Amino acid sequence: KDSMPESKINKLEILNLEHNKLEFIKEFHFDGMFSLRELNLSHNQISSIEPNSFRDLINLERLYLNNNCIFK
C-alpha cells in the first residue's frame, strides 16, 4: 500500500477528493489522519465503504458523501 509520510498525514486537516472517480473506500485509506476535520468524497462512484474506514478520523467534523452510489 502506498501512502504519504506519516509526519504530513497526521497534520492534514482538510482533504478534498471530490470528482476523482473513486469506487470504494478501504479500511486503511485514512489511517493516521488524526487531525482531519473535513473530508469531501462527493461526486465519485463510491459503492463500497469497508467497516472501520474512518476509525482514525477522531476530529472529523464534516464528511461529504453526496452523489455517490452508496446504497447500504
Side-chain angles (χ1 to χ4, degrees), residues 5-39:
E6 188 174 325
S7 62
K8 298 202 186 274
I9 274 196
N10 62 18
K11 295 177 183 168
L12 189 65
E13 293 186 11
I14 298 173
L15 181 57
N16 186 343
L17 294 172
E18 65 181 326
H19 296 284
N20 276 287
K21 299 182 181 177
L22 302 175
E23 297 178 3
F24 51 84
I25 303 298
K26 294 284 188 182
E27 185 174 329
F28 60 84
H29 281 166
F30 303 108
D31 282 359
M33 295 188 182
F34 302 110
S35 297
L36 200 65
R37 292 182 298 105
E38 181 174 314
L39 176 58

Side-chain angles (χ1 to χ4, degrees), residues 1 4 32 39 43 49 62 67:
K1 86 185 173 185
M4 289 175 61
L39 176 58
H43 299 279
I49 300 175
R62 289 179 289 283
N67 294 301

